[in-house]
Amino acid sequence: MKLKGRSLLSLKDISAEEIRYLLEQSKRLKADFKAYKRDKPLSGLTLGMIFQKRSTRTRVSSEVAMYFLGGHALFLGASDIQLGAGETIKDTARVLSRMVDGVLARVFAHEDVEELVKYSTIPIINALSDKYHPLQILADLLTIEEHKNRLAGLKLAWIGDGNNVCNSLLIGCAKMGMHMSVATPKGYEPPSDVVGLSKQFAEDTDAKIIITNDAIAAVTDADIVVTDTFISMGEEEEEQKKLAAFKGYVVTEELCSNAKTDYIFLHCLPYKKVEVTEKVFESEHSVVFDEAENRLHTVMAVLKAFMTD
Ligand code: CP
Ligand code: NVA
């Protein structure tokens, strides 16, 4: 797989075979954790980690991954680097390209991470933008495969906001042959360009992509039920309006009674206690902490592949 030196802004940047390769590498890393700590494949390499927004899982998994792989991570928080005080992305990209071997960036506007790629000569990994969250979906796919032993042919129901995580899942599911039904309130559907892209990818894999406002229809016979916060970072001002709009889209036991009896529940976290009831979140269907752990194994695979393989 020729991933070394490339950037990962969205799962649309990589093929189904490359996603498969990253998942297999993640499994290998997870099974033989000690070997990678011993081999240190990223020895001598450095990763700049730009975080314009908060993070627990993405920051910790990436920093720990660099340590385990033998490299060094630099946390570049919004108030730590000159980017937060008016230095341009273009200049930041050109400087970092001369000092570190890769950049992982969590930004507000997806265009910002595109701008980083434009002016960098090193790989850029999107650690979440307002449009995509590819690292999360690699962990989700690994978690689903661990619990269901396959991906293709499964039905995933997304209930809630047509947001960055939903967008990346649409692309990931379509590429891996998983059917995905998205139920959102009117006006909160995923953007039409992402839906169009995922339908295009689905043509090659026979995946069915359905966008609806009917939560029960979306969940019916689902193998996997997924949601996320209704208020993404950067949307705080819309909180009251969104909470009112999303009233009928909370993941409850009653809603999930329409799913397959052995459905699994995923949530990228953090859980804000609104989008899913505590009963579902804490139920035997919930695999959210396996999913969180898999952020570490999958980001190790990504960093190794994009920086050294
Ligand atoms: N799921 C996820 O990206 O979590 P953090 O915001 O804690 O990184
Ligand atoms: N959609 C959420 C995901 C957090 C990991 C956000 O963008 O804030």
Side-chain angles (χ1 to χ4, degrees):
M1 283 297 150
K2 284 212 167 59
L3 290 167
K4 185 183 174 188
R6 283 165 53 187
S7 289
L8 178 62
L9 296 200
S10 157
L11 292 181
K12 68 182 157 76
D13 299 342
I14 56 177
S15 66
E17 292 70 33
E18 288 165 336
I19 294 175
R20 171 52 54 205
Y21 170 78
L22 291 171
L23 293 177
E24 295 307 318
Q25 282 283 100
S26 305
K27 287 182 202 166
R28 210 167 305 158
L29 286 158
K30 189 171 180 175
D32 196 6
F33 213 54
K34 285 194 185 127
Y36 281 89
K37 279 170 121 170
R38 189 185 58 230
D39 297 347
K40 300 194 185 321
L42 297 195
S43 176
L45 298 182
T46 52
L47 178 75
M49 305 200 313
I50 296 176
F51 277 86
Q52 296 189 323
K53 301 175 184 172
R54 288 183 305 271
S55 169
T56 299
R57 282 139 288 267
T58 309
R59 180 200 170 163
V60 176
S61 59
S62 308
E63 201 165 322
V64 169
M66 281 306 283
Y67 173 74
F68 282 161
L69 294 168
H72 181 73
L74 297 94
F75 179 72
L76 309 172
S79 54
D80 303 322
I81 57 169
Q82 300 292 6
L83 183 63
E87 185 164 17
T88 62
I89 290 176
K90 183 175 176 180
D91 291 353
T92 304
R94 290 184 292 180
V95 171
L96 290 179
S97 293
R98 290 169 181 241
M99 293 190 183
V100 296
D101 301 290
V103 165
L104 182 133
R106 171 167 286 196
V107 300
F108 284 95
H110 189 70
E111 295 72 32
D112 288 353
V113 88
E114 290 177 333
E115 178 103 342
L116 263 177
V117 170
K118 189 169 171 195
Y119 294 104
S120 294
T121 54
I122 52 176
I124 307 295
I125 310 295
N126 179 7
L128 181 148
S129 65
D130 60 354
K131 190 146 185 189
Y132 291 117
H133 195 4
L135 293 177
Q136 181 63 51
I137 278 38
L138 291 172
D140 292 2
L141 294 175
L142 179 62
T143 310
I144 293 165
E145 197 160 74
E146 284 175 345
H147 285 273
K148 294 284 169 200
N149 295 314
R150 66 191 174 115
L151 294 178
L154 294 174
K155 176 180 174 181
L156 183 149
W158 174 275
I159 310 299
D161 197 10
N163 67 11
N164 45 6
V165 177
C166 176
N167 292 343
S168 281
L169 260 178
L170 275 166
I171 294 178
C173 286
K175 286 201 169 194
M176 302 316 278
M178 292 170 65
H179 311 305
M180 180 161 168
S181 292
V182 176
T184 71
K186 280 203 169 63
Y188 293 97
E189 294 86 358
S192 56
D193 63 320
V194 176
V195 174
L197 256 181
S198 61
K199 287 192 171 165
Q200 218 174 295
F201 293 133
E203 279 174 20
D204 294 335
T205 60
D206 291 332
K208 279 192 223 64
I209 303 294
I210 295 170
I211 312 296
T212 174
N213 304 120
D214 183 341
I216 293 177
V219 165
T220 298
D221 291 330
D223 300 279
I224 307 127
V225 178
V226 194
T227 191
D228 181 15
T229 180
F230 296 151
I231 323 291
S232 284
M233 288 179 277
E235 295 183 338
E236 291 75 9
E237 278 179 14
E238 291 174 57
E239 181 164 350
Q240 291 317 317
K241 186 177 152 224
K242 283 192 92 174
L243 288 181
F246 281 78
K247 275 215 169 84
Y249 295 84
V250 176
V251 175
T252 60
E253 280 184 308
E254 192 187 341
L255 180 63
C256 292
S257 67
N258 297 288
K260 293 214 176 112
T261 52
D262 62 349
Y263 83 90
I264 55 171
F265 172 73
L266 267 72
H267 188 310
C268 65
L269 308 180
Y271 169 35
K272 299 291 180 58
K273 314 264 177 201
V274 173
E275 62 275 13
V276 51
T277 61
E278 199 87 30
K279 276 205 166 149
V280 173
F281 186 83
E282 297 291 352
S283 72
E284 73 278 12
H285 296 283
S286 175
V287 295
V288 297
F289 294 102
D290 291 344
E291 182 186 6
E293 180 193 328
N294 283 335
R295 291 295 310 273
L296 174 60
H297 307 298
T298 47
V299 81
M300 282 175 79
V302 167
L303 293 172
K304 186 171 172 295
F306 284 80
M307 291 176 74
T308 67
D309 274 357

